[in-house]
Structure formats: structure tokens, C-alpha cells
Amino acid sequence: MEPVTALAHPNIAFIKYWGNRDDELRLPSNGSLSMNLDGLFTRTTVSFQPSLPLDELIINGHEITGPALERVSFMLDLVRGAAKMNQRAEVISENNFPAGAGIASSASAFAALALAATRAAGLDWSERELSRLARRGSGSACRSIPGGFVEWQAGTSDEDSFAFSIAPADHWALADCIAIVSAAHKKTGSTEGHAIAETSPLQAARVADAPRRLDLCRAAILNRDFDSLASIVELDSDMMHAVMMTSSPALHYWQSASIAVMESVRSWRRDGTPACYTVDAGANVHVLCPENDAQEIASRLREIDGVKDVLTARVGGPAEIVENS
Ligand code: DP6
């Protein structure tokens, strides 16, 4: 069968996914909303081959085995089941952003894999079906299938838990300036974090209030209202970190440089510069701003003690098939 190559972007959540109602199906405790990151991508080629005894995974030129390969094989098994075939596959994947830069590669990785693997197996799936499949690999990956500004409706079952675009990439010229404060691999990954979210007494309140935050965030995006976006995005990030810090075991992702960046961003906004922060399961701080202000924000961020580098991304499009190179 012909190899197929797909490309997908990572995404940054404005309203976060944290905790599952079903870990196996990756049905989230709450809906979430994100923006795809242009310029950063995973490119993955899948070829099913009759001669292969086992699936093979090569990431950035290195052969990978163990849990990462098992997670890929789990998704390939879903594809093989749907296509009624049993050939093993070679999966060759590359990220153009530094590994361990604290930018989750699982979202772009499983979105690109879902698209490349289904096409390579001869399946021509809809965006919704692809989003559901990507979700099984990594929850946030379902948001990297559609383009632009994307909402993942929590749903109640495998069928209705998928992501869709609420506005295309060119709807609003925003940028994400990612302040890298630590390139170290995080100690506790999101999968383990989701599993203990319920141990925090604050998680129930965070989840109960999620529909309200989603409504405010969706409206802010549709109206291109930066001030409203800023307050709801920061609140949502802080609420997720409050849950993380109060779960058992407690997860403290912020470092002193992360807090310094968040304080600076708040003071810039008080002084009239449109910028807001959001932090995932790591120490790096994503600073959102209008695209026109990105250069200025990036250079201000570089001056903060402990900021090692700044990556800037605009709003990205959907996962797509690309020519084999
Ligand atoms: C903090 O999608 O990485 O980035 O489904 O276990 O792979 P798994 O988790 P993942 O969790 C993302 C957590 C987050 C918030 C978000 O992106 O919504």
C-alpha cells in the first residue's frame, strides 16, 4: 500500500482540558477551546507493509520502542479494525519544534497520525471521524484536526466527543509568544495528571463552571474582543493550576520564572498592552497577543530573568495531507 504523509499543528488551549470522565476512551470532564499554532508542526508518514512483523516508529530519526510505540500501535489497531486489515505499519515522524521545549507534541503527533494512517489504510474519513480517532491517542489531538479556533465538545460517548472549528485561522490575527523557561522534560505528564484530577476538591467546581467559561471564551473569539479573552483565558489557566496544585500527589508546574512572566504580562495589560498568559502542564508560559504586537512582546519577554528563548506562532490551519517528500 502507498505511504501517506500528513501534517498537523500543535494547539494552545484557551479553556483547558483537565481530567477525564473515561480514561480509556479519553472522554473529557469538560469541553475545551484552543487555537492551532502555525509554523510549528508534526509531519508523519505511514506505510502499511505486508512484510513487517511489528509496527515501527521513528521520531526525528530515532527508532522508538516501549510505551510511545504502544500508544501508536493502539491507534493503528483502531485503524486496522476499521479498515479490516492486519498489516503492520512503519511510522516516520518529525517535529519542527524542539523536543522538551514544553510544547505538547502529542496533539500534533496523534492528529497527523490519525490522518496519515486512515488514508494509508484506504479510509476516507470525515473531519469529525478523524477528530474522534485522534482523541483516542491524546485528548488534545482531537483539537488539532480542524483548523483555526477549535472547540472540543465534551460529549457523553465516543460518538459525540469531537472537535470542530468555531472560526477559521484568518478570523482573528492573534499570536502565541511562548516563553521557554525550562527545556527539561516535565516530571508528570498530562495523562497521569488527568488520572488524579478528581483527587483535588477544586476539580468539581472547575468542571461545573466550565460551560460558563466556554461561552465567554467563544463569544470573545467570535467578537474579536481581546480584553474579554484575556480575563477568561487567565482565569481558566489559573483554575486548572489550582486543581493541579491541590491534587494528590500535588502537581506544581510553575517555576519562579513562570510567575515572573505572568506578573509582567498582567502589568503590561494594566498599562494598555494587549497580552494575556496561559500555562499548560509545564513551566513555559504562552503569551497571547494581537499579531501586530508579537515582536514587541517577544522582545520584552526575552528580557525577563529566566526566559531562555521565545517561540512565536500565528493561528494555524487544519491537519492536512501533504506530498511525500
Ligand atoms: C494541560 O491531551 O496532553 O495541555 O489525552 O493524556 O494525551 P492526554 O492529555 P493531553 O492533555 C492536555 C492538557 C493541557 C490542557 C489542554 O491542552 O487542553
Side-chain angles (χ1 to χ4, degrees):
M1 295 175 97
E2 287 296 304
V4 174
T5 302
L7 181 150
H9 303 287
N11 63 71
I12 178 64
F14 295 178
I15 302 295
K16 308 291 190 188
Y17 151 50
W18 197 249
N20 287 319
R21 44 195 291 178
D22 182 326
D23 283 319
E24 153 78 16
L25 284 173
R26 286 190 152 84
L27 298 179
S29 303
N30 62 277
S32 55
L33 216 164
S34 59
M35 160 183 134
N36 284 353
L37 301 178
D38 191 39
L40 310 178
F41 60 80
T42 300
R43 188 196 285 121
T44 299
T45 303
V46 175
S47 60
F48 289 98
Q49 300 173 12
S51 58
L52 279 178
L54 294 167
D55 292 323
E56 281 177 17
L57 173 63
I58 295 162
I59 302 178
N60 294 339
H62 301 287
E63 173 140 19
I64 309 285
T65 55
L69 173 62
E70 282 165 30
R71 210 163 153 180
V72 164
S73 285
F74 170 74
M75 176 169 286
L76 292 170
D77 285 341
L78 295 173
V79 173
R80 282 185 281 256
K84 301 191 171 45
M85 50 102 83
N86 56 21
Q87 290 180 21
R88 304 293 115 179
E90 181 188 66
V91 176
I92 301 176
S93 193
E94 271 168 29
N95 296 312
N96 78 334
F97 46 96
I103 304 157
S105 57
S106 66
S108 49
F110 283 100
L113 179 65
L115 179 54
T118 48
R119 286 291 180 89
L123 301 168
D124 188 14
W125 278 10
S126 66
E127 182 181 278
R128 178 183 298 195
E129 289 169 308
L130 288 167
S131 179
R132 287 171 48 208
L133 174 64
R135 190 196 80 232
R136 303 291 301 276
S138 173
S140 56
C142 78
R143 298 190 311 241
S144 282
I145 294 285
F149 299 89
V150 175
E151 181 168 351
W152 172 12
Q153 63 172 38
T156 54
S157 68
D158 176 45
E159 283 72 34
D160 64 359
S161 186
F162 58 87
F164 50 90
S165 177
I166 62 162
D170 64 5
H171 166 73
W172 194 7
L174 290 184
D176 179 10
C177 300
I178 309 162
I180 312 286
V181 306
S182 160
H185 260 293
K186 51 194 175 194
K187 287 189 277 305
T188 308
S190 5
T191 305
E192 296 153 273
H194 293 301
I196 59 164
E198 290 293 329
T199 64
S200 164
L202 305 184
Q203 169 72 346
R206 193 193 72 87
V207 168
D209 183 60
R212 183 189 71 91
R213 297 193 306 282
L214 276 167
D215 285 348
L216 288 171
C217 187
R218 197 186 306 108
I221 291 168
L222 295 178
N223 299 326
R224 300 186 191 88
D225 176 347
F226 194 88
D227 283 346
S228 304
L229 183 77
S231 44
I232 200 64
V233 164
E234 291 187 355
L235 174 70
D236 189 83
S237 175
D238 290 350
M239 284 176 84
M240 179 179 72
H241 285 271
V243 167
M244 290 163 157
M245 288 178 208
T246 51
S247 62
S248 33
L251 301 174
H252 290 260
Y253 289 107
W254 295 348
Q255 295 181 3
S256 42
S258 322
I259 295 170
V261 170
M262 293 189 271
E263 279 179 355
S264 298
V265 167
R266 275 194 297 261
S267 78
W268 298 340
R269 195 158 77 253
R270 272 196 303 273
D271 296 342
T273 304
C276 68
Y277 64 78
T278 184
V279 185
D280 280 343
N284 299 328
V285 183
H286 294 252
V287 180
L288 308 171
C289 64
E291 202 184 298
N292 288 338
D293 298 295
Q295 244 188 328
E296 163 72 15
I297 298 285
S299 63
R300 287 194 200 180
L301 287 170
R302 283 198 180 87
E303 276 162 27
I304 298 173
D305 256 1
V307 172
K308 300 192 168 87
D309 196 8
V310 179
L311 299 177
T312 299
R314 296 191 285 194
V315 193
E320 57 193 13
I321 297 289
V322 291
E323 291 299 314
N324 287 304
S325 51

